[in-house]
Amino acid sequence: MRVSVVGAGYVGTSSAAVLAACGHDVTCVEQNDTRLQRWRRGDDPLGEPGLAELLVRSKVNFVPDPRSIALADVVIVAVGTPPDDRGRPDITQVDAAAVEIAEYARDDTLVLVRSTVPVGTCDRLQNGPLRRLRVVSNPEFLREGRALHDAFFPDRIVAGGPPEAQGVFEELYRRIIEGRDLPGGARGERVPVLWMSARSAELAKYAANGFLATKLSFVNEIANLAFTVGADASSVLGSMAFDPRIGPQYLHPGLGWGGSCFPKDTRALEAIADGAGYDFVVLRAAIEQNTRQLTRFAAAIELAVPSRGRVGMLGLAFKAGTADVRASPAIALARRLSSRGLTVTAFDPAVSAIADEPDVQVRPTVVDACDGADAVAIATEWPEFATIDLRALRRVTRGDLLFDGRCLISPSSAVAAGFRYRSLVGFGD
Ligand SMILES: NC(=O)c1ccc[n+]([C@@H]2O[C@H](COP(=O)([O-])OP(=O)(O)OC[C@H]3O[C@@H](n4cnc5c(N)ncnc54)[C@H](O)[C@@H]3O)[C@@H](O)[C@H]2O)c1
């Protein structure tokens, strides 16, 4: 099939790469010229492992012009839906993409909305600008840093729209659904296709992210409480992992969740509930807890570090395995510390510069970031930080405080290296 993808971000390019690798003829339309030129050169602007190579190998085209949509059997909408000033999803990019699609697409073209959009958006497009076409909500569940893996081997494919669209939809994803004939001879399990109404599919995406964020906030509450009552958080959380109803994932405490999805999707879910007159009390509490978690960690640093001191921060990305700093707790921490008069110098293995961020100076190595610092703060759970040579680190820092916002380091090894260790769940001295 001929597929046109509007928006060459994480979702657009991973969908494009996987569908092209499955034999479809794929073109990506991208309006940001810097991004477009980098993809054209085979140079990944997102830092997503394996993605640029697969896009080149599977011959995905990148174009600035939406006219190529006229050739497509399927158009995928993968544009951004960032939060607006009030934290609600801004769907201007989706509406603008719909206008372009309406202008160029042939009758009956299948339009898959992979962007995360408020409930009712697909119905509105179907009954408005895209009435000639068939609109299906097809939310994406990939994790940044594992985008290709998740696109080839999804746990489930969620889709909502007119039943007559299901045949073409399943033909598009046939190899992925069957888990066979995948590139390189890879095989996967058969993937369930969960066909529902567009509204249900839209809400299913927010429900998944809302639940995961709530799980993390609950885990952080348990970790804080364990510390307060003299219990060991890792023993408590470790015991929960054995319950299959809870599962072992998302049980690690930290300084809070962030990224381009959880903060905006939880706010959007709250707005959906508000708009329907429903008081989603658990979700509100999860969001509030997340703000407090960061404040709690920042306050501990501010209390201990001398005024006008410097903090060497390890990590800037919102999580390990990605270069994405959107709504990163590390950046929020840097801003907060800077607002209290502290200087922040930071290193991240995937981030070499951040545009328009005066509150943090990015340095090229761990040593450069921590040299002469009064304290070190671990803000992203990069595995390399867990195995850092702490003695060598202590030789370059001025102060002896190590704040572990991701509970990565063993307190005893930090103390043995000469640090006073502080984490959200315990002290090392
Ligand atoms: N990033 C993730 O991990 C993830 C996971 C699941 C769902 N989502 C959702 O998917 C959507 C896209 O997310 P993303 O992270 O890939 O976004 P992104 O901001 O990285 O990419 C979107 C791209 O669309 C381009 N664009 C916008 N309007 C355009 C137009 N009319 N024509 C051509 N290009 C256009 C932008 O320039 C940008 O490059 C969002 O709704 C997001 O919530 C993201």
Side-chain angles (χ1 to χ4, degrees):
M1 287 184 197
R2 276 192 288 214
V3 180
S4 193
V5 179
V6 184
Y10 293 87
V11 171
T13 48
S14 50
S15 295
V18 165
L19 291 173
C22 287
H24 299 297
D25 177 356
V26 184
T27 298
C28 271
V29 185
E30 173 54 58
Q31 65 183 14
N32 175 316
D33 189 54
T34 313
R35 220 174 229 197
L36 177 78
Q37 297 309 337
R38 287 191 65 177
W39 285 127
R40 280 183 163 171
R41 288 198 301 271
D43 171 20
D44 179 358
L46 309 174
E48 198 55 47
L51 184 54
E53 294 81 347
L54 186 60
L55 286 164
V56 170
R57 224 176 326 122
S58 51
K59 301 193 167 46
V60 173
N61 290 313
F62 285 92
V63 297
D65 193 321
R67 271 178 295 191
S68 58
I69 289 171
L71 301 172
D73 305 301
V74 177
V75 180
I76 292 179
V77 177
V79 298
T81 50
D84 69 13
D85 297 346
R86 291 187 303 154
R88 292 169 183 236
D90 173 356
I91 53 169
T92 326
Q93 292 181 37
V94 174
D95 285 337
V99 168
E100 291 171 358
I101 295 165
E103 181 170 359
Y104 295 109
R106 298 191 317 257
D107 279 358
D108 257 10
T109 300
L110 184 63
V111 179
L112 304 185
V113 178
R114 309 226 66 199
S115 299
T116 305
V117 291
V119 175
T121 303
C122 286
D123 283 352
R124 184 172 60 74
L125 297 176
Q126 179 71 85
N127 297 321
L130 302 184
R131 71 179 68 77
R132 284 188 301 114
L133 314 171
R134 290 172 295 170
V135 180
V136 170
S137 164
N138 175 211
E140 172 62 73
F141 296 92
L142 67 80
R143 295 160 294 179
E144 285 182 21
R146 309 203 52 182
L148 270 190
H149 172 274
D150 291 352
F152 272 120
F153 307 107
D155 313 304
R156 76 290 205 195
I157 294 177
V158 172
E164 61 275 17
Q166 192 168 355
V168 183
F169 179 86
E170 293 198 3
E171 183 50 31
L172 176 75
Y173 284 114
R174 188 182 56 77
R175 291 196 194 181
I176 306 287
I177 294 168
E178 292 175 356
R180 59 192 177 86
D181 301 334
L182 295 172
R187 287 185 76 87
E189 301 289 316
R190 192 177 172 85
V191 180
V193 176
L194 310 176
W195 195 271
M196 54 189 79
S197 69
R199 283 176 173 264
S200 305
E202 288 162 342
L203 186 56
K205 170 66 191 176
Y206 287 119
N209 276 358
F211 183 80
L212 291 171
T214 304
K215 184 174 182 184
L216 288 172
S217 283
F218 187 88
V219 161
N220 284 336
E221 291 281 56
I222 289 292
N224 297 345
L225 181 62
F227 181 44
T228 310
V229 300
D232 174 45
S234 65
S235 306
V236 175
L237 294 166
S239 78
M240 289 166 65
F242 284 90
D243 186 329
R245 293 167 302 176
I246 297 173
Q249 294 190 36
Y250 277 61
L251 284 183
H252 196 75
L255 77 160
W257 36 268
S260 70
C261 290
F262 283 4
K264 93 172 164 60
D265 290 354
T266 47
R267 290 277 179 212
L269 187 54
E270 194 185 24
I272 289 166
D274 277 354
Y278 183 80
D279 183 12
F280 201 150
V281 59
V282 173
L283 186 72
R284 267 197 292 113
I287 295 169
E288 165 71 16
Q289 196 289 329
N290 197 49
T291 308
R292 285 193 200 182
Q293 192 71 3
L294 189 102
T295 308
R296 192 167 180 264
F297 188 61
I301 297 175
E302 289 152 16
L303 207 63
V305 174
S307 62
R308 316 221 72 76
R310 182 156 65 80
V311 176
M313 188 181 284
L314 301 186
L316 287 165
F318 83 89
K319 66 171 187 179
T322 180
D324 198 347
V325 295
R326 288 179 288 181
S328 170
I331 307 283
L333 178 64
R335 285 188 189 138
R336 154 96 191 210
L337 297 178
S338 163
S339 76
R340 306 292 155 116
L342 300 174
T343 301
V344 178
T345 46
F347 165 74
D348 187 289
V351 182
S352 55
I354 311 179
D356 306 324
E357 192 52 71
D359 294 321
V360 54
Q361 300 164 33
V362 186
R363 299 281 163 86
T365 66
V366 170
V367 168
D368 289 315
C370 298
D371 195 6
D374 297 288
V376 174
I378 299 177
T380 308
E381 70 282 20
W382 284 101
E384 44 267 66
F385 297 157
T387 55
I388 213 158
D389 181 344
L390 291 171
R391 287 178 198 280
L393 186 64
R394 179 64 194 92
R395 281 197 290 275
V396 301
T397 59
R398 178 165 57 197
D400 61 356
L401 282 161
L402 173 57
F403 292 92
D404 186 354
R406 297 294 181 177
C407 303
L408 267 191
I409 306 260
S410 101
S412 56
S413 61
V415 171
F419 279 108
R420 279 183 292 155
Y421 177 86
R422 303 280 182 269
S423 83
L424 289 151
V425 296
F427 289 175
D429 53 9

